[in-house]
Amino acid sequence: MAAVESVKRPTMECETPHFLMAQRQLDEIALEMGLNPELHERLRYPKRALIVTVPVRMDDGTVRSFTGYRVQHDTTLGPAKGGIRFHPEVNLGEVSALAMLMTWKCALMGLPYGGAKGGIRCEPWKLSAPEQERLTRRYTSEIINLLGPDKDIPAPDMYTNEQTMAWIMDTYSINVGHTVPSVVTGKPVSIGGSLGRIEATGRGVAYCTRRAVDHLSFSSEAPTVVVQGFGNVGSVAARLLHDSGFKVIAVSDVHGGIYNPKGLDIPRLQAYISEMGKVSDFPQGEAISNSELLELECDILVPAALGNQIHSGNASKLKCKIIVEGANGPTNPDADQYLHEKGIFIVPDILANAGGVTVSYFEWVQGLNQFFWSEDEVNRRLEELMGRACDQVFAMSERSGLRPRMSALRIGVSRLAEAKRLRGLYP
Ligand code: NAD
């Protein structure tokens, strides 16, 4: 059997640096685990990718064309699942890389899904709400053949939200002639969304943090926490950690951060932000920049803003003991290896921020059954699944000496490889 490395093929359109990075990560773990080369080859590319032109009537009466994408990396374990983002940097490579990561994340969490991602290249902040609605509805109609509760189920991602999901659900439902709530997740509760979905990712980050602290047998009664990004993920994680006795000493948003070594009063900060809009003016602490914040001495650092925040330029200055990755891809591969060697324990994104897709799964299950759970029930089940995944990843790391990121990947890839082996190759 030929090794994957020796196979020569023309470059695929998705092979941008971002995609090649995701593919290299798979290659690394495939080599480490001795993955069957045929299964490895089948996992290296997206199963399906659709590029569409989305014409939209703008408010000024003109028509503009946008480019939209939907990529399904794999559907071996069930329907494809993944967010839709609106952003000027959306491209086929980025969407394909993120779809691949969704495959590993769903497999790691034991969810019956494959990975997908989609997006529209646009500057959403320059579009009015009616323009966004027309853009969303036309995009949905262009990719409708891929969608369905048993085929591909979108969710919110960067610059999309509950309202976007409601428009997608409505457009799909009108086209098929009846209401289909389970075609999307992350929709409003009043049209079939799940209680607890909005807080799910931050809640999952908080669960993982507590599990990592227990795993490493921290002696401190009130471990100190620094959170970069105070949006949906960061603010919920900060609040839950604060409520369970951690000392959150710094947080930031796009404008900058606030630091108080005695601990910030997070409920008060949340109330302040909902009135004043930004973190850095909060009176009970000193203002700091985002780069200073990352370098603060603390027990736990939670990057929950953007990708690529921890890199070879700042990795050597980090003074935390644990990193819990709320954002997608906040640590670049060189920094990841360096920090591991330095003894910093990293809970990787595909584990730490998997709370969102896990409660999306609960939403889908509730919608299919037309039977809805209480918020306590959702949170209890989320804690159970996150705890199980953490235990599996940490145990694999201890057994194999692999860093937690590679352990998480190894668990996800092995589950998928086993399913592919059993299903065989058609025809
Ligand atoms: P959000 O838009 O609600 O919040 C983002 C926060 O980051 C805001 O406080 C913003 O001001 C801040 N920010 C933006 N640019 C920054 C910068 N340069 N420096 C510091 N802070 C900056 O987004 P979110 O939903 O909280 O998502 C945050 C991250 O988590 C993203 O990487 C996202 O892909 C990832 N994620 C989110 C979910 C989810 O369910 N929301 C699920 C998985 C992963």
Side-chain angles (χ1 to χ4, degrees):
M1 212 180 297
V4 164
E5 287 73 19
S6 68
V7 179
K8 289 271 176 280
R9 67 174 68 70
T11 306
M12 272 182 77
E13 290 80 351
C14 65
E15 288 178 305
T16 61
H18 193 157
F19 180 76
L20 292 174
M21 205 162 84
Q23 204 180 45
R24 257 198 312 276
Q25 220 176 37
L26 168 67
D27 294 346
E28 195 184 324
I29 202 65
L31 187 69
E32 199 281 331
M33 66 195 269
L35 181 64
N36 173 311
E38 286 184 3
L39 295 173
H40 180 192
E41 170 69 4
R42 291 176 62 194
L43 292 171
R44 295 183 86 230
Y45 302 96
K47 173 186 177 65
R48 211 174 261 139
L50 181 62
I51 305 179
V52 293
T53 298
V54 188
V56 177
R57 172 92 49 207
M58 307 303 282
D59 291 345
D60 65 5
T62 60
V63 172
R64 262 184 74 188
S65 290
F66 296 86
T67 306
Y69 304 87
R70 186 70 182 169
V71 174
Q72 299 172 349
H73 171 253
D74 190 83
T75 56
T76 307
L77 291 167
K81 184 89 192 81
I84 287 177
R85 55 173 56 182
F86 290 175
H87 200 267
E89 278 157 34
V90 167
N91 62 67
L92 184 62
E94 179 193 69
V95 173
S96 304
L98 294 168
M100 185 187 269
L101 286 181
M102 281 303 292
T103 301
W104 314 141
K105 189 186 288 189
C106 292
L108 168 67
M109 294 307 296
L111 309 179
Y113 290 138
K117 205 77 175 189
I120 303 179
R121 189 153 62 235
C122 64
E123 293 172 288
W125 46 88
K126 292 191 179 162
L127 301 174
S128 69
E131 286 168 341
Q132 291 206 18
E133 176 172 356
R134 292 192 288 273
L135 178 69
T136 305
R137 287 185 182 278
R138 183 61 191 251
Y139 166 73
T140 306
S141 134
E142 295 297 338
I143 65 163
I144 205 159
N145 289 337
L146 294 187
L147 302 182
D150 49 4
K151 289 160 74 179
D152 185 342
I153 308 147
D157 198 85
M158 274 163 72
Y159 292 97
T160 56
N161 54 26
E162 289 193 331
Q163 178 60 74
T164 323
M165 295 306 112
W167 290 328
I168 295 178
M169 187 271 235
D170 185 67
T171 306
Y172 181 86
S173 298
I174 285 173
N175 274 273
V176 298
H178 58 101
T179 298
V180 188
S182 295
V183 69
V184 291
T185 60
K187 57 193 170 291
V189 171
S190 54
I191 54 167
S194 177
L195 294 170
R197 172 63 183 85
I198 288 180
E199 303 81 18
T201 306
R203 189 172 285 278
V205 169
Y207 287 151
C208 286
T209 307
R210 291 201 290 261
R211 214 74 174 197
V213 163
D214 290 347
H215 174 71
L216 299 175
S217 309
F218 256 48
S219 50
S220 165
E221 292 261 302
T224 51
V225 182
V226 166
V227 182
Q228 187 199 37
F230 205 68
N232 178 264
V233 178
S235 68
V236 172
R239 173 67 186 256
L240 292 173
L241 288 170
H242 171 272
D243 290 353
S244 56
F246 287 67
K247 190 161 43 158
V248 182
I249 56 169
V251 303
S252 67
D253 61 20
V254 67
H255 308 288
I258 185 89
Y259 170 54
N260 184 339
K262 294 197 186 111
L264 293 162
D265 182 339
I266 299 296
R268 239 193 205 169
L269 176 60
Q270 281 180 313
Y272 177 85
I273 288 169
S274 50
E275 218 175 285
M276 309 304 284
K278 58 181 179 174
V279 166
S280 50
D281 298 339
F282 186 57
Q284 293 167 13
E286 63 183 89
I288 50 168
S289 70
N290 261 295
S291 51
E292 288 167 335
L293 172 125
L294 291 174
E295 296 163 16
L296 285 173
E297 183 156 353
C298 62
D299 292 314
I300 299 137
L301 174 63
V302 181
L306 305 171
N308 212 18
Q309 294 300 291
I310 302 169
H311 41 75
S312 48
N314 62 7
S316 65
K317 299 181 192 146
L318 264 51
K319 296 181 210 70
C320 57
K321 300 187 178 96
I322 303 178
I323 295 174
V324 184
E325 295 185 333
N328 281 319
T331 314
N332 81 11
D334 294 343
D336 191 53
Q337 181 63 33
Y338 170 84
L339 293 169
H340 176 68
E341 283 161 15
K342 200 172 149 185
I344 296 180
F345 188 84
I346 303 182
V347 185
D349 49 4
I350 64 166
L351 173 60
N353 69 29
V357 71
T358 303
V359 176
S360 271
Y361 163 62
F362 297 161
E363 180 178 334
W364 180 71
V365 167
Q366 292 171 75
L368 291 176
N369 290 297
Q370 293 294 311
F371 180 74
F372 292 89
W373 310 344
S374 69
E375 191 162 353
D376 283 349
E377 176 76 3
V378 170
N379 293 343
R380 188 187 61 71
R381 287 178 187 263
L382 173 63
E383 182 162 16
E384 191 182 315
L385 264 61
M386 294 296 304
R388 183 181 71 188
C390 284
D391 290 349
Q392 288 168 345
V393 170
F394 300 165
M396 158 85 73
S397 270
E398 260 186 4
R399 239 189 355 259
S400 63
L402 285 173
R403 54 194 203 274
R405 185 181 316 283
M406 299 316 276
S407 300
L409 207 58
R410 180 171 177 159
I411 295 170
V413 171
S414 344
R415 287 185 181 151
L416 205 68
E418 172 66 355
K420 275 206 174 309
R421 186 185 68 74
L422 288 167
R423 285 187 56 170
L425 176 61
Y426 175 85

